[in-house]
Amino acid sequence: MSTPEQRPETAPDVDATSQALGPAPSPAVPDADASPAETGSVAPSEQRRRTHPITPLVTGWKIVIGVVAVISAQNIARLIDDFTVTRALIGAGVLVAAIVVAIAFSALVWWFTTYMVDEDGVSLHMGVISKSREYAPRARIESVSVERPLLARILGLAKVRVEVAGGGESYLDIEYVKSADAEDLRRRILGVATSTSTAVAGGAGAVGAGDRAQEADVDESVDTARGATGAASSDGAGNTATSTSGGTLQEVLYDGVTDGELIAKIPTERLVRSLLRDVGFLLGIVVSIVGVAVAIILAIWQDGLSFAVIIALLPTAIAVPKYVFGRIESGWGFISRITDRGLRMRRGLANTRTDNIASGRIQRFELRRPLLWRTPDWTAVSVTVAGIDDDSENGAQSALPVGTREELWSTLGHLAAPLGTADDLATLEHLLTAPAREITGVRTPIRAWWIARRTQVTVLLPGALIHRSGIVSRTVQIVPRERIQELTLEDDPFGRKLGVLDLKVGIAGYTLALGSLAREDALALHGVLARDARRLRRYQDREHWPQPALRLLGSETTNSTGADSQEVR
Amino acid sequence: MVTMTSDPDPAERSATAAHIEPTGSTLHDDRDGLLGADALRPVSATLIRARYVASIVAYVIWVLMIAGAIVVAVLTGWWWMAAIGVLPLLILLQSLAFTPRRVRAIGYLDAEEDLTIASGIMFRSVHTIPYGRVQSVKIDEGPVDRRYGLAKLTVSTAADGSTVVLPGLPKQEAERLRALLTDRGISTMAAL
């Protein structure tokens, strides 16, 4: 009925003031971000564009393969029994016809699919008979990722995914565009999205009086600087990191993730060793291999060895290699760099993807250290970002698949707001390495649950709520206190008897359940966190929002990381 | 109140020095009563009648099932057929007996900066929702609710799958809460 809509992004009134007061930043950004390669892309009256003409081939193939797979999987045994040359020819003819129809169909779909990036956001029109018009307003654009599935990659194409704030399937896919164009497109969409946040920053500054003009100044200078680099090459050539001689090679290898300060780079050797040292992963593989082997043996024993049985078991047999490959892929050639739009990451072996996470959007961190990673001091970092749906392990959620201590600190330093302790690194190191029972914090008082007592502990730091858990793989969850959306206390007869309460801490995209805390502890924690949820991260005092500790450092070392990064949510 | 098992290292000590100091606004814990119930406002008592009326259809079905079980038991002479009627009977009786208590256990409080909604007797949950974090507010009026002048308020935040329902508000009160949530929400709005 009456919903305070589009809340999380911009207050309507703030937006309005900013548009009235600071017109300078908004047109400047798309200008600066357009590279000469895109012809006529800057004009406000931009034309709708189609995706790359090869797209129907790529999408058409999927349909054909799907149809063939379904038909052959069901009837392959019969087909093989009645094999004749004529039938094979007929089959081939049908297949060709199917391919033609599929491609023609895809071409039709392609013809009616257009996209446009303008000052207001990104729009995508599609549909032949029933038209659909998707629209991503600039204020709600959260991030843009570029994905290159194998087939598209061979053809030099890429898919651009625009993530929009909101739960579930809130994204717009522009598939497929030329790889080089994809980068430009990504930059342009982010430019449009950033222009809002800088505008809002300007508006907020105006409320705070005085420093708005200065901020706008800085914005402009940053923009012109970026424009210059954009004109010089497709990537930031004025950057220290890329001014090496191997710039072009680097760019090809890392899909254009070459500007900004290097945060983490995972050598293949470390990735392979990390997988071999991941006990959970190995156990999972062993168990599933045994499971699949048993299934195959049982099936063969029951029905005898026949082609049909093998076909039927194929999906099961493929599952394990697929999982292994997925794990390898999620860390292969991983590189992350900090840019003014947050952390840019690139990964993948067959299918590659580049993602963007802005520190302001991260709701929660999870550090994971399996048993055998303790000696080499490796840690995996994954994050929860509102709006990015959980896309298994190789998505944007994994900010660092396996990182050394230095990489962990610089990733967290650039993404996470300070924990507020005297020495954050030492604190985190202690939380990760010490046995859980040696960590001071809140734990369940129930003596009978000695495993939980020894492995789970909750620590409240000035900046974040931290939950340490895990027996073999130590896991540390960091929930910034300013991100708490809602709190729920749950009581039940059992808990009343034992003197415990469950506390659920709701953040966008995740609920941290702290089970069976002592009643006083749970209530005290509830009181403190409820106050945080009420008071922190208000738009009113957005100048005081905590910022990642290393952010200043980052803007000193790379000249394109400017003051406008301050408000890139 | 904080479980200490051993000495933390020096870095840690400074970190946890400010450990969960109880703030003034903690919920009162009454082990025998309902968690936080003393500070909360009850919903309209009319909701008891509304709930009874709304479940008349269900009651009729349960009664028919019980009657059917008894009739079958009498006709066939298999006494254990009557046992099938026990489950509907239990559901019917607990609904008749506990609806008033359940309704009385629902409470809410629109405090200065957040809204608290609690419900449940045995399994009780207390939700705390800061005004600044509310994403949407909805008012529903079912046919029965409307007959009794009641409305149901649904509040959702960005937290994972979180919608909190507060039934049994008099219509004006629901409107007042909605206006309050929207107004306060805008003035204290917090980012994700």
Side-chain angles (χ1 to χ4, degrees):
Chain A
M1 277 173 84
S2 75
T3 46
E5 274 162 8
Q6 30 150 281
R7 271 290 200 55
E9 295 322 303
T10 43
D13 50 342
V14 174
D15 208 6
T17 42
S18 73
Q19 298 223 324
L21 290 167
S26 352
V29 170
D31 242 339
D33 275 315
S35 82
E38 308 153 358
T39 44
S41 58
V42 195
S45 58
E46 194 199 333
Q47 288 173 3
R48 304 205 60 83
R49 301 173 122 213
R50 293 213 169 78
T51 51
H52 198 276
I54 311 178
T55 307
L57 286 181
V58 183
T59 42
W61 261 114
K62 279 189 205 155
I63 302 176
V64 173
I65 290 173
V67 169
V68 169
V70 168
I71 291 175
S72 56
Q74 285 172 353
N75 306 314
I76 191 97
R78 217 144 36 102
L79 287 179
I80 292 214
D81 289 345
D82 318 340
F83 182 83
T84 61
V85 178
T86 343
R87 284 190 184 179
L89 282 177
I90 293 172
V94 169
L95 194 64
V96 169
I99 291 171
V100 169
V101 168
I103 288 178
F105 180 70
S106 305
L108 201 64
V109 171
W110 167 78
W111 182 258
F112 284 98
T113 304
T114 55
Y115 66 92
M116 183 165 79
V117 183
D118 60 13
E119 286 153 40
D120 299 327
V122 185
S123 64
L124 181 69
H125 292 191
M126 53 202 298
V128 184
I129 295 162
S130 66
K131 308 257 180 203
S132 81
R133 293 173 176 217
E134 280 187 87
Y135 192 64
R138 62 175 187 184
R140 296 180 61 81
I141 294 174
E142 296 266 307
S143 80
V144 182
S145 62
V146 178
E147 289 169 41
R148 295 176 176 84
L150 185 58
L151 187 58
R153 199 175 161 207
I154 293 168
L155 295 169
L157 301 178
K159 174 169 103 180
V160 177
R161 171 170 286 192
V162 184
E163 299 271 7
V164 184
E169 299 206 341
S170 52
Y171 51 77
L172 232 80
D173 278 344
I174 301 174
E175 55 188 349
Y176 293 90
V177 292
K178 236 159 63 189
S179 270
D181 290 350
E183 277 306 304
D184 289 333
L185 192 60
R186 185 191 72 84
R187 214 165 296 137
R188 205 141 50 88
I189 296 171
L190 279 176
V192 169
T194 321
S195 70
T196 329
S197 21
T198 48
V200 170
V207 175
D211 53 2
R212 191 203 69 84
Q214 183 209 342
E215 199 166 335
D217 254 0
V218 178
D219 280 345
E220 227 163 311
S221 65
V222 167
D223 289 335
T224 45
R226 204 188 300 136
T229 55
S233 79
S234 65
D235 263 292
N239 202 298
T240 43
T242 42
S243 54
T244 52
S245 54
T248 344
L249 177 67
Q250 291 285 316
E251 198 169 303
V252 174
L253 273 180
Y254 293 115
D255 294 327
V257 184
T258 45
D259 47 349
E261 185 195 343
L262 181 72
I263 298 298
K265 188 172 170 180
I266 299 180
T268 310
E269 188 214 344
R270 191 205 303 162
L271 176 73
V272 172
R273 279 176 53 203
S274 74
L275 288 179
L276 293 179
R277 277 168 172 267
D278 192 336
V279 178
F281 172 69
L282 291 182
L283 268 179
I285 291 179
V286 169
V287 167
S288 43
I289 285 180
V290 169
V292 168
V294 167
I296 290 177
I297 290 167
L298 273 180
I300 290 175
W301 183 50
Q302 290 278 315
D303 300 338
L305 186 63
S306 76
F307 200 68
V309 171
I310 291 173
I311 291 286
L313 287 172
L314 213 56
T316 340
I318 286 174
V320 178
K322 198 173 163 226
Y323 170 66
V324 173
F325 189 72
R327 280 294 298 264
I328 293 174
E329 184 139 69
S330 72
W332 190 278
F334 180 90
I335 186 165
S336 65
R337 288 175 179 278
I338 194 81
T339 66
D340 49 351
R341 272 98 183 228
L343 190 73
R344 278 204 73 196
M345 302 172 298
R346 180 268 176 207
R347 75 188 86 215
L349 178 58
N351 313 307
T352 70
R353 55 181 296 159
T354 59
D355 298 288
N356 231 67
I357 324 179
S359 70
R361 301 173 46 234
I362 298 175
Q363 309 286 328
R364 161 182 165 267
F365 296 85
E366 185 178 308
L367 317 185
R368 197 173 135 265
R369 186 174 284 181
L371 183 68
L372 294 177
W373 289 13
R374 288 178 199 176
T375 333
D377 237 350
W378 289 335
T379 316
V381 181
S382 56
V383 296
T384 301
V385 178
I388 294 186
D389 50 338
D390 200 2
D391 199 11
S392 72
E393 284 208 12
N394 47 356
Q397 311 253 328
S398 145
L400 185 63
V402 45
T404 60
R405 183 192 297 224
E406 289 71 34
E407 288 171 348
L408 171 66
W409 297 149
S410 73
T411 302
L412 283 182
H414 280 102
L415 291 182
L419 300 178
T421 60
D423 185 352
D424 281 358
L425 301 192
T427 309
L428 261 187
E429 186 66 27
H430 174 73
L431 286 167
L432 259 177
T433 51
R437 60 176 175 280
E438 287 174 13
I439 297 172
T440 316
V442 183
R443 43 170 68 72
T444 175
I446 305 175
R447 297 230 164 256
W449 297 359
W450 58 275
I451 293 180
R453 273 182 72 80
R454 268 148 206 277
T455 56
Q456 297 190 5
V457 61
T458 307
V459 182
L460 185 72
L461 297 181
L465 179 71
I466 293 184
H467 183 67
R468 156 74 187 272
S469 58
I471 303 169
V472 179
S473 292
R474 285 177 177 164
T475 306
V476 170
Q477 296 182 53
I478 306 174
V479 174
R481 282 166 69 172
E482 48 163 1
R483 306 280 182 177
I484 297 166
Q485 303 285 330
E486 189 196 323
L487 290 161
T488 305
L489 273 172
E490 283 179 357
D491 196 6
D492 51 66
F494 185 63
R496 235 167 266 144
K497 200 129 207 151
L498 294 167
V500 293
L501 272 178
D502 296 340
L503 178 63
K504 286 191 175 153
V505 182
I507 49 171
Y510 190 80
T511 303
L512 176 64
L514 306 173
S516 306
L517 298 180
R519 288 181 92 89
E520 319 83 80
D521 285 350
L523 290 170
L525 203 55
H526 176 267
V528 174
L529 295 179
R531 194 189 49 193
D532 292 344
R534 289 196 294 262
R535 305 254 167 97
L536 298 180
R537 211 171 164 78
R538 282 191 186 165
Y539 276 109
Q540 288 165 359
D541 37 37
R542 60 156 66 221
E543 298 94 67
H544 304 298
W545 286 357
Q547 297 292 338
L550 289 179
R551 178 153 275 180
L552 281 174
L553 201 104
S555 62
E556 274 163 24
T557 45
T558 62
N559 55 15
S560 70
T561 309
D564 68 334
S565 62
Q566 218 166 314
E567 290 306 338
V568 180
R569 283 198 355 99
Chain B
M1 58 174 262
V2 173
T3 327
M4 292 244 191
T5 354
S6 78
D7 266 353
D9 71 6
E12 183 60 19
R13 199 189 312 255
S14 68
T16 44
H19 207 85
I20 316 181
E21 75 287 20
T23 50
S25 59
T26 49
L27 286 170
H28 176 67
D29 185 23
D30 175 11
R31 198 76 72 86
D32 305 317
L34 296 171
L35 184 65
D38 48 348
L40 300 178
R41 278 202 246 163
V43 295
S44 164
T46 329
L47 182 63
I48 301 172
R49 219 181 314 154
R51 284 205 165 167
Y52 277 136
V53 171
S55 21
I56 281 178
V57 177
Y59 291 161
V60 168
I61 293 173
W62 295 132
V63 168
L64 286 178
M65 282 178 75
I66 297 164
I70 293 169
V71 167
V72 170
V74 170
L75 285 183
T76 55
W78 298 333
W79 61 268
W80 47 265
M81 281 302 287
I84 295 173
V86 171
L87 190 67
L89 185 68
L90 285 179
I91 295 174
L92 182 66
L93 286 182
Q94 62 85 24
S95 172
L96 285 172
F98 295 132
T99 297
R101 282 189 65 197
R102 280 190 195 128
V103 167
R104 279 195 289 269
I106 303 172
Y108 68 98
L109 181 70
D110 46 322
E112 194 57 39
E113 287 174 309
D114 55 13
L115 176 71
T116 305
I117 295 176
S119 63
I121 304 165
M122 267 172 85
F123 297 89
R124 184 168 177 81
S125 55
V126 182
H127 300 270
T128 307
I129 307 159
Y131 296 131
R133 310 268 180 180
V134 173
Q135 295 283 332
S136 76
V137 188
K138 193 172 87 172
I139 296 181
D140 284 320
E141 291 172 62
V144 179
D145 277 356
R146 201 160 22 197
R147 167 84 179 68
Y148 287 96
L150 297 178
K152 186 171 82 179
L153 190 77
T154 308
V155 183
S156 66
T157 66
D160 208 19
S162 150
T163 49
V164 183
V165 180
L166 178 58
L169 292 170
K171 223 166 153 183
Q172 290 92 349
E173 176 69 357
E175 272 303 325
R176 185 188 71 83
L177 277 181
R178 187 196 59 76
L180 178 95
L181 282 167
T182 336
D183 292 349
R184 295 270 176 83
I186 288 169
S187 62
T188 63
M189 178 164 42
L192 278 187

